[in-house]
Amino acid sequence: MADTSYAFTDPRAQTVWSKHLFDYAMPNIMLSALMGQSSNDFIHVDKDLTKKPGGDVVFKARERLSGAGVGDDGDTTNNAQQIKRRNCSVQIHEHATRTQSAGAFSEQMTDSKFREDSKLELGDWITEAIENNLATCAAGLYNENATSGDIQVINESYPTSSRIYYGGQNADGTLGTAYTTDALLTAGTQANNLCGTKLLELIKRKALTAQPRFTGGRVQDLSKATPNDIRTGAGLPQVGRFFIVFLHPLQIKAIRAETGTTGWKQATAEAQVRGNLNPIFSGAAFMWDGMIIWEYDRVPYRTGAAGTTLAEGFLLNAGRTATTDACANARSVARGILLGAQAILFAWGQFPGWYEDYYDVNKPIVKTDMLYGVKRANFNPHGTEVAAQDEAIYNFDTEIITD
């Protein structure tokens, strides 16, 4: 027997665009406060492909003039400087799911309403999907780590060589050895490989001396922002420029265990600098040396178990089936993340849609899909197609001591 069916794109299918689904999902994304449509934002969002066809968005970045110029009565005729622009391409891909009712009998047995429940559950799914992909991208990991290899919304890019640090400090603030892999890190002395305020200062110095040099992302006054402001990227007063640092809860725990008078004790004195109710401030654990530190449960970690499974190391082989940098047995590593301006690129192709249909004549289906891509900003130098170093993300792997 052959089934007669209609695709979701068939004109006879009931298709309804739900702006409310988008309005519900986006503000619930913890990282939405970092998003904006400017290169000054931590997550640079582009919506061009929501209005025209295409599968790639090319983001641009300036390359500052470096010439000295001329002095008194100087002639600039032969001293002109070249305006240069760098670029980075982000591919968009589909991410979709659906709910479907088992039928009238099952709905009769409860007081739930399938259509309303679908709006709530699909909205939460969108929130989780986007935030999980953003966090995975920021850590320089793979689609397999976020969802599966079949979903390609993360334009994968492992941290480039000069944008990752393996090492930490001890409780009194003495920096430990700088390693080159997690395997070597976890073969060292655990007490010297922990997260701490001196390590954060070191990572910031590395960011400020990197080429290209990191700049802080803008932090706006969102105390009176509406969901529409977040969705449209409306300009709001700027508080200042900061770096954002995401730390695993156990990395935060190590910081709070610091001894002495110049580490965590000083951090607690500055912890109440919250500004203007901006969620970037109100969501922070503390501020330190121009960095807003967030305790973020999506910061990834790995634990060695004498094998090479994906749970034992960050760096994967070409087939994404095993790690090539496993942690030592029973030792755990978390990957901290420092973000500057234009650290992550986010390209929309289609905002989340809302589609309704039926199967078996009268059993309802609700589907949502979206087209987007996320990528660590990695711009090609002017006139080339070869990617350089990561623009504004610095990762650092430290050991963590589990509770």
Side-chain angles (χ1 to χ4, degrees):
M1 181 178 67
D3 294 335
T4 300
S5 62
Y6 298 101
F8 284 102
T9 54
D10 190 286
R12 286 161 290 187
Q14 181 184 358
T15 303
V16 179
W17 160 250
S18 178
K19 174 177 175 289
H20 300 291
L21 188 67
F22 187 62
D23 287 346
Y24 172 80
M26 293 306 293
N28 288 327
I29 297 173
M30 183 175 178
L31 304 186
S32 64
L34 308 183
M35 294 179 172
Q37 297 181 63
S38 165
S39 59
N40 294 312
D41 295 303
F42 299 96
I43 302 174
H44 186 180
V45 179
D46 185 283
K47 303 177 182 179
D48 284 353
L49 290 186
T50 62
K51 303 174 183 177
K52 61 184 180 182
D56 294 86
V57 173
V58 177
F59 289 80
K60 297 178 182 178
R62 295 169 50 219
E63 188 168 323
R64 293 173 180 170
L65 300 178
S66 58
V70 299
D72 295 343
D73 295 331
D75 185 352
T76 61
T77 302
N78 296 315
N79 287 282
Q81 298 192 56
Q82 183 183 13
I83 295 176
K84 297 180 179 181
R85 293 292 182 265
R86 299 173 295 133
N87 65 84
C88 181
S89 179
V90 178
Q91 292 184 352
I92 62 170
H93 290 275
E94 183 178 6
H95 203 179
T97 193
R98 80 179 196 181
T99 59
Q100 65 182 48
S101 169
F105 176 77
S106 293
E107 292 188 39
Q108 175 65 28
M109 298 299 290
T110 70
D111 62 356
S112 63
K113 300 184 186 306
F114 174 76
R115 191 172 186 271
E116 288 75 9
D117 288 350
S118 293
K119 177 184 175 182
L120 176 64
E121 298 302 331
L122 291 175
D124 285 343
W125 179 84
I126 292 168
T127 297
E128 287 291 311
I130 292 177
E131 184 153 6
N132 202 30
N133 284 321
L134 283 170
T136 302
C137 176
L141 301 180
Y142 311 89
N143 284 292
E144 281 80 359
N145 300 125
T147 48
S148 75
D150 295 329
I151 300 170
Q152 295 291 312
V153 293
I154 298 174
N155 291 214
E156 296 174 349
S157 175
Y158 201 75
T160 49
S161 58
S162 64
R163 299 293 188 268
I164 186 166
Y165 184 85
Y166 303 90
Q169 65 169 73
N170 61 20
D172 67 14
T174 302
L175 290 169
T177 302
Y179 300 95
T180 55
T181 66
D182 285 324
L184 292 174
L185 172 70
T186 52
T189 303
Q190 185 182 59
N192 295 335
N193 297 335
L194 303 177
C195 191
T197 53
K198 294 302 180 185
L199 175 67
L200 295 180
E201 292 172 3
L202 172 65
I203 299 304
K204 180 185 174 183
R205 289 195 299 272
K206 287 181 174 294
L208 290 175
T209 56
Q211 290 297 326
R213 177 177 174 271
F214 285 34
T215 59
R218 69 176 179 180
V219 176
Q220 295 174 301
D221 184 351
L222 300 183
S223 59
K224 298 179 181 179
T226 66
N228 188 61
D229 293 330
I230 296 174
R231 185 179 67 253
T232 61
L236 291 163
Q238 182 170 303
V239 179
R241 286 184 172 272
F242 302 87
F243 292 113
I244 298 289
V245 177
F246 297 131
L247 295 179
H248 187 277
L250 292 175
Q251 290 178 307
I252 293 286
K253 177 185 175 184
I255 291 177
R256 289 174 175 160
E258 284 185 334
T259 58
T261 60
T262 60
W264 169 246
K265 290 183 179 179
Q266 182 63 29
T268 56
E270 298 181 12
Q272 300 306 314
V273 181
R274 289 291 186 260
N276 53 69
L277 303 181
N278 187 302
I280 292 177
F281 288 105
S282 61
F286 62 96
M287 290 184 64
W288 186 261
D289 192 26
M291 295 173 282
I292 302 173
I293 315 300
W294 277 15
E295 183 175 7
Y296 191 40
D297 61 350
R298 294 180 196 265
V299 168
Y301 71 95
R302 299 290 183 266
T303 300
T308 60
T309 65
L310 272 61
E312 296 178 69
F314 292 117
L315 183 61
L316 303 184
N317 61 7
R320 310 289 194 260
T321 57
T323 181
T324 58
D325 185 21
C327 298
N329 188 39
R331 301 278 282 269
S332 298
V333 170
R335 174 158 291 177
I337 302 164
L338 180 145
L339 301 182
Q342 207 175 19
I344 297 176
L345 308 177
F346 190 115
W348 277 112
Q350 175 197 296
F351 299 135
W354 173 278
Y355 313 93
E356 299 184 48
D357 202 355
Y358 297 91
Y359 75 104
D360 192 20
V361 182
N362 68 338
K363 296 177 181 178
I365 300 168
V366 176
K367 174 186 174 181
T368 186
D369 66 353
M370 46 191 170
L371 301 176
Y372 68 101
V374 297
K375 186 176 183 178
R376 297 164 68 94
N378 192 319
F379 292 94
N380 301 339
H382 182 83
T384 76
E385 296 181 357
V386 180
Q389 296 289 326
D390 292 332
E391 184 76 6
I393 301 182
Y394 214 111
N395 294 115
F396 49 100
D397 289 2
T398 72
E399 289 205 65
I400 53 175
I401 300 174
T402 56
D403 293 324

